[in-house]
Amino acid sequence: MKRMVTLFIVFAMVVCVSAGFAQAQAKKETFKYEDKIGVVKIKKGDPIHIAAWMVVAGPDASLGTDTKRGVELAIEDKGGKILGFSVKLSVQDTGCNAEGGQAAATKLAADPTIVAAIGSNCSSEAKPGAPILWKAGIATVSPSNTAPFLTDPKRGPEYDGYLRTAHNDKVQGAVAAEYAIKQLKLKKAATVHDGSPYAEQLQAVFADNFKKLGGTITSQEAVAPTDTDMRPVLTKIATGKPDIIYYPIFIAAGGHITRQVKEVKGLEKVKLMSADGTFSPDFLKAAGDTAVGMYHSSPDFSAFGAGYKTFLEKHQKKYGEKPIAPFHAHGYDAAMIVLAAIEKVGKKAPDGTLHIGRQQLRDALYATKNFKGLTGNLNCGATGDCADPMIAVYQTTADNVKKLAIPDKPIWSPAAAAAAKPAPAKEAPKKK
Amino acid sequence: MLKRWKKRITPTDVVMWLIGGAILVLIFWGSIATLATGTYTGHHWFDFIIFGLAQGSIYALIAMGYTMVYGILRMINFAHSEVFMCGPYTAYYVAAAFYSSGFLDQYPIVSLIMIFLVSMATSTLVAVLLERIAYRPLRTAPRLIPLITAIGASFFLQYTFRGFYGSGFQAYPVVQILEGEITFWGFRILKFQAVVIAAAAILMAALYSFVQRTRLGKAIRAVSEDKETSALMGIDIDRMIVTTFVIGGMSAGAAGVLYALMFKQVHFFMGFIPGIKAFTAAVLGGIGNIPGAMLGGIFLGLVESVGPSLFLDGLGIVAPYQLKDAIAFTMLVLVLIFRPTGILGERLTVKKA
C-alpha cells in the first residue's frame, strides 16, 4: 500500500511538471514572428549590429569619415540604445570604387548579425554592393550616393533593399547648369567625368540641362580616377574654347585638373565648377591656391533644419573640427530612419530576445513619411529616394584654402533666388 | 628561300601579324582623319609632345631600376614602385617644413637640392634593405620564388608607409621659381616641365656613362653577362648587385621628386600606376637594356599624351583620354608582336633566358 502511495505521488509530480512544461511551451508558441526573408534574433545583452560601408581610407577618406561621424552622432543622440538594446556600429572601408564596394558588401553579407547597413558613399560602390546586401536580406541606406541610376524605376528588383537620404543628381546637375547659364551668363561648357556612375551621370544631367537652357557643350571628356597628367586632355578641351569646365569627379583627379587647368593654353580664363564629391578640405589641400574662385554644387547647409546648429556644436565638441565633407547630416538622417524603422518592427519575445524581420524592416524604411531630419523632410518614395533635395552653389575663397575649410555659406541657391524675386512663377517644377 | 620561310612561320605568327596589321591600319586611319579635320594647331601638338616628354622621362627613370635589376638578377623587382613611392613621400615632410618656415621661398635651389637628396637617400636605403633582406637569401632559389617575394615586399612596403604617414594624401608645396612658362620662337613650355625633362636627361646621361665608362659599370655589365665567370675574374658579385640596387633606388628617388613637383600629390599608393607603366616601358624597350628603358619610357609617355588625340579622335571615339592606358598597353602588344624582345632588346641566349 505504501508503495502504491509513493508511486501515486511520483506519478502526480510527473504530471504536474509536464503540464507546467506544456504550459510554458504553449506560451512560447503564442509569440510568433515571421518574415518573408528572415528574422534577426538578438539575445538579451547582445547589441543591435548596424554596419557602415564607407570610404574611410585613401584620397576620398573625408567623404566616408564625414558620414560615419553623422551616424555616430545619431546613435549618440539616441543614447546609444533602442528598444533597450545597445547599438553597435562596425565600419567597412569601400575605397570609392566598384571593387571595394563589392568586397565590403560581400563581407557584410556573410555576417548574419547585421540588421541593417548604412552606405555606401560613392555610387560606384553601391552599384555592385547593394544587390549583394539585399540578397542577404540587408537593407541599406546611403547617405551620399547621388547617381540617378540607383533609384531609377528601371533599376531592377535586386536594388529593392536600397534607399538613400542623399539627393538625386537629377536635381544637382540641373541646379549647376542653371547657375552657369543664368547667373554666370556662360554659353559654352565642357565636362569631364572619371567613368564612375556618379560622375558620368551627373555630367550628363548637367550637359542636358545646359543645352536645354540654350548653352552649347563643347566636349564631354573622361579621365581615369587614377590619372595624374591631365594636361593632354585639357589641351583637347581647350580646342573647343569653353567658358566653364564642369568636372563632378573625386578628390585626387579633381585636384589634378584644378591645378593643371591654368597651365594649359587657352584655358587661362575658364571658370571651374565641381560638385559634392570634391567639396572637402582635402580637395582644397590637393588643389591649393588654384581652387580659389571655383564653384561647387552641393547640399544647401543654410536650408537644413533647426537641429543642424546643435548638430554642428556636438560635432565640434566630439571631433574638434567642422564637418569635412557635405554629407554628415545625410549620414545622421540615414542612421535616424534606420533606427526608427528598427524601433517600429522590432519585437521582444518573452525571454527577452529581440526579433527583427528583414523584409519588414525594409518595408518600414520605404514607408518613412514626413520624417523631420536635419536635411529636411524625408519621404521615401517608391524607388528609395528619401531626400528633400536642396542644392546650392558655393564659391571657394582664398581664406577657405588658407584655413582648409569648405565654405559654409552658399552664394546662390534656387530656393533663395526664388524667395528674393517672387515674380517669375516657378517654371513648372522640374522633373525630379 | 620561300620554303625556309614557310617552315619558320607558324599559324600563330600569321594571326599575330594580322592583329598587328589591323591595329596599325586603325592607327594610320585615325591619325589621318584627325589631321584632316585640323582641330589641333601646331601649338597644340607641340604642347602634347612636351607633356608626353615630361611624363615619359619620369617613366624612363623608374624603368631604369626595373631593367638594371632584371639585367643583373633576371628577376622583376615588383617592389620597385614602392622604392619610387617612399622617397618623395618622406621628402614631403622636409619640403613642408621648409615651406612653413619660409626657407623654401628664400633659398629655393638649396631647398630643392635638399629635397632631392632626402628622397634619393630614402629610396636608396629602402632598395638596399630590400635586396639584403628579401632578395639575397633567395638568390639561388628557383626564379619564381624571388618574384613572389617581390610582390610580397611591395605590399609590405606600401602598408608600412601607410602606417607611418597615414592613408590620406599630402600635397607638395608650390616652388615659386618653377611656376610660369618660358617662350621661345613662339612655342611655350612650362618651367617645371623644362626642369623635369632636363633633370631626367642629365640623370640618364650620367647613369648611362657610369655603366658604360667606369670600371664599376664595366663590372656590373660583366656580372649581368655571367655571374660565375665574373666571380672567377675577382669581381665581388654581392657588391655589384648592391650597386645596381643603389643606382635603381637613386633614380627612382629622383623620379619621385620630379613626379611630386609635377603633380603635387603624394600618397602611399602613388607608386602603383607609375610602377606598372615603367615596367611596361622597360619591356617595350627591351628588358635588361638601359637605353631601351629610356626609349621605352619616353615612347610610352608620348603615346599616352599624343595618342588619344591623334589616333582615337579621328575614329570618332568619344572621350578618348579614358582609353589612355588601353593605348599604352596596345602599343606594348604591337611592339611585342613585331619585335618580341622589345625595341632595343637583343635576342637572349639560351643560358640567360
Side-chain angles (χ1 to χ4, degrees):
Chain A
M1 192 61 207
K2 214 177 176 186
R3 233 193 216 165
M4 283 295 277
V5 171
T6 327
L7 210 69
F8 179 76
I9 290 171
V10 168
F11 180 73
M13 273 167 79
V14 167
V15 167
C16 280
V17 168
S18 55
F21 236 87
Q23 213 173 10
Q25 220 147 22
K27 220 182 203 174
K28 214 172 195 179
E29 264 161 28
T30 54
F31 182 79
K32 246 194 198 156
Y33 192 95
E34 277 173 358
D35 190 87
K36 241 198 282 177
I37 47 176
V39 179
V40 193
K41 288 177 195 156
I42 301 161
K43 282 204 197 88
K44 209 170 177 182
D46 283 355
I48 297 176
H49 186 180
I50 292 176
W53 49 310
M54 297 175 178
V55 45
V56 290
D60 296 302
S62 56
L63 194 57
T65 311
D66 191 51
T67 47
K68 190 190 84 191
R69 288 172 175 178
V71 173
E72 283 170 356
L73 285 174
I75 294 174
E76 235 167 68
D77 276 3
K78 281 266 181 189
K81 254 182 183 179
I82 49 170
L83 301 168
F85 284 75
S86 64
V87 178
K88 176 179 124 187
L89 181 74
S90 65
V91 183
Q92 207 53 257
D93 182 46
T94 45
C96 200
N97 53 44
E99 297 80 20
Q102 183 165 6
T106 310
K107 246 184 193 171
L108 297 188
D111 186 346
T113 65
I114 292 171
V115 178
I118 299 173
S120 63
N121 283 128
C122 303
S123 303
S124 49
E125 303 157 353
K127 207 176 166 193
I132 295 173
L133 287 179
W134 184 233
K135 219 173 162 190
I138 301 172
T140 186
V141 183
S142 164
S144 76
N145 293 158
T146 56
F149 162 80
L150 292 166
T151 53
D152 194 90
K154 281 183 231 142
R155 62 184 176 161
E158 66 267 32
Y159 289 93
D160 276 354
Y162 175 87
L163 304 94
R164 64 174 159 208
T165 54
H167 54 86
N168 186 320
D169 275 342
K170 282 184 184 164
V171 183
Q172 180 170 209
V175 170
E178 192 185 336
Y179 183 74
I181 290 243
K182 292 200 177 150
Q183 299 296 314
L184 298 175
K185 312 261 182 260
L186 302 174
K187 291 271 167 301
K188 289 191 287 182
T191 65
V192 182
H193 69 83
D194 62 359
S196 67
Y198 157 72
E200 194 173 351
Q201 294 174 24
L202 179 50
Q203 65 83 27
V205 173
F206 173 86
D208 286 349
N209 281 282
F210 197 79
K211 278 187 264 184
K212 241 186 250 162
L213 293 169
T216 6
I217 297 291
T218 58
S219 62
Q220 286 171 282
E221 295 297 334
V223 296
T226 49
D227 275 358
T228 50
D229 196 5
M230 306 297 182
R231 294 167 188 110
V233 66
L234 290 169
T235 305
K236 183 168 188 294
I237 287 175
T239 59
K241 302 193 178 63
D243 303 319
I244 183 167
I245 303 179
Y246 186 62
Y247 51 113
I249 52 177
F250 290 101
I251 288 171
H256 287 308
I257 289 190
T258 317
R259 273 197 196 265
Q260 294 169 20
V261 93
K262 297 275 151 39
E263 295 166 4
V264 171
K265 208 171 183 169
L267 295 180
E268 292 88 351
K269 295 235 167 76
V270 79
K271 296 249 190 309
L272 299 176
M273 190 169 192
S274 187
D276 44 18
T278 57
F279 198 50
S280 153
D282 273 355
F283 171 75
L284 299 181
K285 191 164 92 180
D289 288 334
T290 50
V292 175
M294 74 174 288
Y295 303 96
H296 278 94
S297 55
S298 199
D300 190 351
F301 300 143
S302 63
F304 281 177
Y308 189 54
K309 222 178 134 200
T310 20
F311 172 87
L312 286 181
E313 279 159 15
K314 278 183 206 152
H315 190 286
Q316 181 73 33
K317 207 167 147 202
K318 181 153 188 195
Y319 306 106
E321 58 179 344
K322 283 185 183 170
I324 52 172
F327 290 107
H328 41 276
H330 301 82
Y332 182 91
D333 284 355
M336 279 301 187
I337 64 170
V338 167
L339 296 177
I342 293 176
E343 278 177 333
K344 211 154 94 190
V345 302
K347 287 245 159 56
K348 252 188 255 181
D351 63 345
T353 312
L354 183 66
H355 289 59
I356 302 168
R358 293 192 180 280
Q359 178 74 38
Q360 288 170 45
L361 180 65
R362 178 260 175 207
D363 293 345
L365 280 168
Y366 266 80
T368 305
K369 286 272 156 349
N370 253 326
F371 190 94
K372 298 266 177 297
L374 289 183
T375 59
N377 247 357
L378 302 184
N379 286 295
C380 297
T383 55
D385 253 334
C386 303
D388 180 3
M390 286 174 291
I391 302 294
V393 176
Y394 298 80
Q395 188 172 24
T396 304
T397 62
D399 198 43
N400 291 140
V401 176
K402 214 165 147 197
K403 289 188 185 143
L404 287 184
I406 46 177
D408 44 12
K409 284 199 181 59
I411 54 163
W412 184 81
S413 71
K421 43 171 183 174
K426 275 191 222 157
E427 26 174 298
K430 268 184 216 90
K431 271 187 285 170
K432 277 184 188 170
Chain B
M1 179 74 184
L2 206 70
K3 245 186 189 169
R4 255 210 312 198
W5 268 97
K6 252 189 190 162
K7 246 187 210 163
R8 258 207 256 154
I9 295 169
T10 61
T12 325
D13 284 337
V14 177
V15 173
M16 284 311 223
W17 282 348
L18 282 178
I19 294 173
I23 296 174
L24 276 180
V25 168
L26 272 180
I27 289 175
F28 278 119
W29 187 12
S31 310
I32 289 165
T34 308
L35 293 175
T37 59
T39 332
Y40 304 99
T41 61
H43 285 277
H44 288 135
W45 291 121
F46 181 79
D47 280 351
F48 280 136
I49 289 172
I50 292 294
F51 297 152
L53 274 182
Q55 177 76 70
S57 37
I58 289 173
Y59 289 158
L61 276 176
I62 310 170
M64 205 93 87
Y66 277 106
T67 219
M68 285 188 69
V69 168
Y70 184 85
I72 205 157
L73 284 182
R74 305 279 151 222
M75 72 164 274
I76 292 155
N77 180 11
F78 277 116
H80 192 61
S81 52
E82 271 54 62
V83 173
F84 164 78
M85 169 273 290
C86 65
Y89 206 169
T90 309
Y92 159 76
Y93 292 93
V94 179
F98 281 164
Y99 181 72
S100 57
S101 66
F103 187 76
L104 186 74
D105 289 329
Q106 261 177 320
Y107 306 100
I109 308 271
V110 182
S111 320
L112 273 179
I113 292 173
M114 295 283 281
I115 292 168
F116 263 100
L117 285 180
V118 170
S119 171
M120 285 160 81
T122 316
S123 287
T124 309
L125 184 73
V126 169
V128 169
L129 286 178
L130 192 66
E131 194 275 332
R132 187 68 196 81
I133 296 168
Y135 302 152
R136 193 179 295 181
L138 298 172
R139 203 174 290 154
T140 49
R143 285 175 60 195
L144 205 56
I145 289 169
L147 191 77
I148 308 270
T149 311
I151 295 171
S154 167
F155 282 125
F156 175 79
L157 285 172
Q158 256 173 30
Y159 289 93
T160 307
F161 277 85
R162 177 183 161 156
F164 282 168
Y165 302 145
S167 77
F169 65 92
Q170 300 293 347
Y172 252 67
V174 174
V175 185
Q176 285 306 332
I177 52 159
L178 296 180
E179 294 299 298
E181 52 189 56
I182 322 165
T183 319
F184 54 94
W185 303 308
F187 289 100
R188 46 150 232 152
I189 173 167
L190 297 166
K191 265 189 199 165
F192 65 84
Q193 287 191 319
V195 170
V196 167
I197 296 170
I202 293 169
L203 276 167
M204 284 191 279
L207 243 144
Y208 187 61
S209 55
F210 169 79
V211 174
Q212 292 296 324
R213 300 278 165 81
T214 61
R215 274 173 66 86
L216 210 58
K218 206 179 204 173
I220 288 177
R221 280 185 291 142
V223 173
S224 73
E225 279 293 321
D226 191 330
K227 277 201 204 78
E228 284 84 28
T229 318
S230 350
L232 291 174
M233 298 295 144
I235 298 174
D236 184 347
I237 295 181
D238 280 345
R239 230 185 97 212
M240 290 311 123
I241 291 175
V242 170
T243 315
T244 311
F245 274 87
V246 167
I247 294 170
M250 271 164 58
S251 59
V257 177
L258 295 177
Y259 178 93
L261 288 177
M262 225 162 100
F263 301 121
K264 312 282 192 306
Q265 281 181 24
V266 284
H267 52 94
F268 78 99
F269 206 58
M270 67 183 270
F272 183 67
I273 300 275
I276 285 191
K277 292 286 172 60
F279 172 61
T280 311
V283 176
L284 204 64
I287 194 149
N289 183 308
I290 293 173
M294 299 176 188
L295 197 73
I298 288 168
F299 179 73
L300 200 68
L302 281 176
V303 163
E304 275 187 6
S305 164
V306 180
S309 290
L310 183 62
F311 316 146
L312 298 182
D313 224 18
L315 295 175
I317 288 170
V318 214
Y321 275 92
Q322 213 175 4
L323 298 173
K324 189 168 97 171
D325 295 352
I327 293 191
F329 294 119
T330 310
M331 282 297 145
L332 177 69
V333 171
L334 207 60
V335 167
L336 292 184
I337 286 176
F338 292 109
R339 268 194 75 87
T341 50
I343 299 173
L344 293 185
E346 311 119 51
R347 241 163 240 287
L348 297 177
T349 58
V350 182
K351 196 181 165 199
K352 267 181 153 183

